Amino acid sequence: MNIEARLTERIGEAGRRLHTARSRNDQVATDFRLCVRDAIDGLDGQIAGLSWRWQSMRRRSRRSGCRVFTHLQTAQPVTFGHHLLPYVEMLSRGSRGGWRMHGGG
């Protein structure tokens, strides 16, 4: 088990005896949770970079028009920057903790 090996590495021989307090399913669930948490932490930086690029594109394209649609019909014309703004907001909402895995559940 990955968790047992890490505990043994950190606290010594007591880490080998600690596995008896948890079932194998608990160990697998905890290991999976830690793996997913690390993956999410890795994605945070990439998402922040994408958000930054979209914001810079939005600032550069203040005058470029964009044709948008609503309910399969043409809507009012907007700039490409305005079209990108909701996506930038969605990414920033998620990076503020929307997809964080907090302890307990």
Side-chain angles (χ1 to χ4, degrees):
M1 289 286 149
N2 196 12
I3 295 171
E4 183 180 338
R6 179 74 172 136
L7 275 174
T8 306
E9 179 183 306
R10 285 189 83 181
I11 64 174
E13 197 60 35
R16 292 184 184 268
R17 293 187 300 273
L18 217 59
H19 77 280
T20 58
R22 290 185 174 224
S23 70
R24 186 171 298 223
N25 286 343
D26 287 344
Q27 287 181 345
V28 169
T30 302
D31 208 14
F32 179 72
R33 186 177 186 85
L34 291 172
C35 178
V36 169
R37 186 184 299 169
D38 288 344
I40 289 173
D41 287 342
L43 287 174
D44 274 347
Q46 293 176 352
I47 289 172
L50 178 63
S51 178
W52 182 83
R53 282 187 206 100
W54 280 354
Q55 284 187 22
S56 66
M57 282 177 61
R58 182 182 64 85
R59 283 190 286 274
R60 284 195 314 259
S61 60
R62 287 185 178 156
R63 295 194 181 268
S64 61
C66 180
R67 193 172 184 188
V68 295
F69 295 88
T70 178
H71 302 95
L72 301 177
Q73 296 178 355
T74 305
Q76 67 184 37
V78 297
T79 65
F80 185 64
H82 278 103
H83 181 69
L84 283 177
L85 195 58
Y87 298 104
V88 172
E89 286 298 316
M90 281 187 264
L91 289 177
S92 70
R93 238 190 340 256
S95 66
R96 285 193 302 256
W99 50 64
R100 279 265 164 244
M101 292 181 67
H102 296 288

